[in-house]
Amino acid sequence: MIRVAVIGTGGISEAHLKAYTSLGDRCKVVALCDISPEKAEALKQKYNLDCEIFTDTEEIASHNEVDLVSVCTPPYMHAELAIACLNGGKHVLVEKPMASSLEECDRMLEAAERSQRILSVVSQNRFYNPIMKLKHVLDSGLLGKVVHAQADSFWWRGHVYYDLWWRGTWEKEGGGCTLNHAVHHIDMLQWLMGMPDRLQAVTSNTSHDNAEVEDLSIAVLSYGNGALAQITSSVVHHGEEQQLVFQTEKAKVSAPWDVYASVSRSNGFPERDPGMEQRIEEIYREYPEIPYTGHTGQIDDVLKAIENQSLTVLADGHEGRKTLELITAIYEAALTGRQVQLPL
């Protein structure tokens, strides 16, 4: 049985606890850690846990009866805690974003390599059937190359959202909606399409004067094969519609799932191609449903790796760093007003 500790017992920790407690006797939560022990105690009771409660993170890092640590703290603490736990011989699953800087990411990766322990970065949206199936379709080769991609990470947050002491600050949260909301769509985009060669971006704070950071950003990405992509990150969009759309040489596919294929008439104008759409639908449906989704899917992936004495997970630290590199490039382009080349 894999023994688990959770550091940070705020709202996101419940996604981890629900996952751990739903996976049977494969794992057991043996420790909760928070600077507010009453919060940890409340979760202990809510999830009927037989665990210790700590307020000192160093005790978790050095605990002899902990195998895996979920880091569920605000972003500015991710690197320090992950490194300490890796150095203590623990596997680590760290919430998004991986860290506040690429330098911190590199130190985390060094600690994982040195300790030969798993470092996984929460990318729970990869672990949903529509995204897995979409990747299978894109990787099949049937559609040809992607020529344009669109990532709409549309959220809405009221003014009071940024009244929480650590939110909306460069020092504690590390950034605004690009880093802390669109991180999921940016992660999925780079996983599905790869990293661009260069990008341009603009950011703005339109509606939250109690935050130092942006509440809206737009980035245009350029790829070596001529493809373009655009990312809109927002916490000012009513309705919160979110989507990933890929226009390829042969068809459009998207999440939420939709497919539309066109073929040329003799004069160059389009008509629908139902045969191509049917072949795409068949490839989409042939990919098997995954047994667990979201956080539970990712935690299942990490547990399988530990059980098999493997360091290979779908969303490892290198993947987390790619996503943060893309976000960092968006900030650099917006702040300097210049096109940014990748890798940084």
Side-chain angles (χ1 to χ4, degrees), residues 200-267:
Q200 302 171 72
V202 290
T203 64
S204 181
N205 185 323
T206 69
S207 308
H208 299 88
D209 60 9
N210 56 341
E212 302 171 355
V213 296
E214 85 289 349
D215 60 16
L216 178 64
S217 75
I218 299 172
V220 177
L221 288 56
S222 301
Y223 291 78
N225 65 357
L228 297 176
Q230 62 195 73
I231 301 169
T232 302
S233 312
S234 170
V235 287
V236 297
H237 272 69
H238 297 271
E240 297 194 316
E241 299 94 347
Q242 297 154 21
Q243 63 175 352
L244 290 164
V245 182
F246 294 88
Q247 300 285 350
T248 75
E249 293 175 302
K250 302 294 181 63
K252 178 202 82 171
V253 290
S254 67
W257 176 247
D258 188 35
V259 58
Y260 193 109
S262 300
V263 66
S264 180
R265 298 175 182 173
S266 60
N267 62 0

Side-chain angles (χ1 to χ4, degrees), residues 141-202:
L142 177 64
L143 282 67
K145 75 174 184 179
V146 175
V147 296
H148 176 256
Q150 176 183 341
D152 294 337
S153 188
F154 294 167
W155 306 83
W156 191 93
R157 294 292 183 268
H159 192 270
V160 296
Y161 177 78
Y162 285 105
D163 286 343
L164 187 63
W165 65 274
W166 57 269
R167 281 196 189 130
T169 64
W170 288 106
E171 181 184 4
K172 301 299 185 186
E173 197 173 18
C177 58
T178 314
L179 178 66
N180 293 293
H181 289 80
V183 59
H184 296 300
H185 290 89
I186 293 170
D187 176 73
M188 287 186 287
L189 180 68
Q190 71 87 2
W191 183 50
L192 293 166
M193 191 173 175
M195 292 288 279
D197 295 324
R198 59 194 187 280
L199 64 81
Q200 302 171 72
V202 290

Side-chain angles (χ1 to χ4, degrees), residues 10-319:
I12 197 60
S13 68
E14 294 207 50
H16 293 244
L17 292 173
K18 287 175 185 176
Y20 288 125
T21 55
S22 71
L23 289 169
D25 60 3
R26 295 169 64 194
C27 59
K28 178 184 178 181
V29 177
V30 298
L32 297 175
C33 183
D34 200 284
I35 56 174
S36 301
E38 63 276 7
K39 289 172 59 181
E41 181 62 36
L43 287 184
K44 177 180 178 178
Q45 298 302 321
K46 180 176 180 177
Y47 289 92
N48 194 28
L49 301 174
D50 177 18
C51 68
E52 296 181 85
I53 291 177
F54 298 88
T55 57
D56 186 349
T57 57
E58 292 183 5
E59 292 187 77
I60 300 296
S62 61
H63 202 302
N64 290 328
E65 297 184 5
V66 170
D67 306 304
L68 169 65
V69 178
S70 275
V71 177
C72 300
T73 61
Y76 75 97
M77 301 176 68
H78 287 179
E80 175 188 347
L81 293 176
I83 291 168
C85 291
L86 290 165
N87 287 342
K90 310 326 186 226
H91 303 286
V92 171
L93 173 62
V94 61
E95 261 297 335
K96 60 82 183 172
M98 179 175 175
S100 296
S101 70
L102 295 178
E103 184 272 338
E104 288 180 330
C105 291
D106 289 339
R107 290 197 289 114
M108 294 164 75
L109 289 168
E110 289 167 5
E113 177 66 25
R114 187 169 56 249
S115 65
Q116 286 297 286
R117 292 295 184 268
I118 292 166
L119 171 62
S120 184
V121 181
V122 170
S123 307
Q124 79 270 21
N125 286 322
R126 294 189 185 193
F127 294 86
Y128 284 108
N129 284 301
I131 301 302
M132 290 283 192
K133 290 172 178 284
L134 177 58
K135 181 167 177 60
H136 179 63
V137 169
L138 290 170
D139 289 349
S140 71
L142 177 64
L143 282 67
K145 75 174 184 179
V146 175
V147 296
H148 176 256
Q150 176 183 341
D152 294 337
S153 188
F154 294 167
W155 306 83
W156 191 93
R157 294 292 183 268
H159 192 270
V160 296
Y161 177 78
Y162 285 105
D163 286 343
L164 187 63
W165 65 274
W166 57 269
R167 281 196 189 130
T169 64
W170 288 106
E171 181 184 4
K172 301 299 185 186
E173 197 173 18
C177 58
T178 314
L179 178 66
N180 293 293
H181 289 80
V183 59
H184 296 300
H185 290 89
I186 293 170
D187 176 73
M188 287 186 287
L189 180 68
Q190 71 87 2
W191 183 50
L192 293 166
M193 191 173 175
M195 292 288 279
D197 295 324
R198 59 194 187 280
L199 64 81
Q200 302 171 72
V202 290
T203 64
S204 181
N205 185 323
T206 69
S207 308
H208 299 88
D209 60 9
N210 56 341
E212 302 171 355
V213 296
E214 85 289 349
D215 60 16
L216 178 64
S217 75
I218 299 172
V220 177
L221 288 56
S222 301
Y223 291 78
N225 65 357
L228 297 176
Q230 62 195 73
I231 301 169
T232 302
S233 312
S234 170
V235 287
V236 297
H237 272 69
H238 297 271
E240 297 194 316
E241 299 94 347
Q242 297 154 21
Q243 63 175 352
L244 290 164
V245 182
F246 294 88
Q247 300 285 350
T248 75
E249 293 175 302
K250 302 294 181 63
K252 178 202 82 171
V253 290
S254 67
W257 176 247
D258 188 35
V259 58
Y260 193 109
S262 300
V263 66
S264 180
R265 298 175 182 173
S266 60
N267 62 0
F269 283 78
E271 64 181 18
R272 198 155 189 174
D273 186 351
M276 173 59 75
E277 291 177 2
Q278 179 61 33
R279 291 195 290 278
I280 295 169
E281 290 281 5
E282 290 170 358
I283 291 174
Y284 185 84
R285 289 195 298 268
E286 78 182 11
Y287 192 86
E289 299 277 315
I290 55 177
Y292 303 106
T293 61
H295 276 82
T296 306
Q298 182 157 3
I299 286 173
D300 171 63
D301 185 54
V302 171
L303 295 182
K304 281 180 181 174
I306 296 172
E307 290 161 350
N308 294 325
Q309 298 184 337
S310 169
L311 298 178
T312 302
V313 291
L314 179 62
D316 62 15
H318 295 283
E319 286 292 294

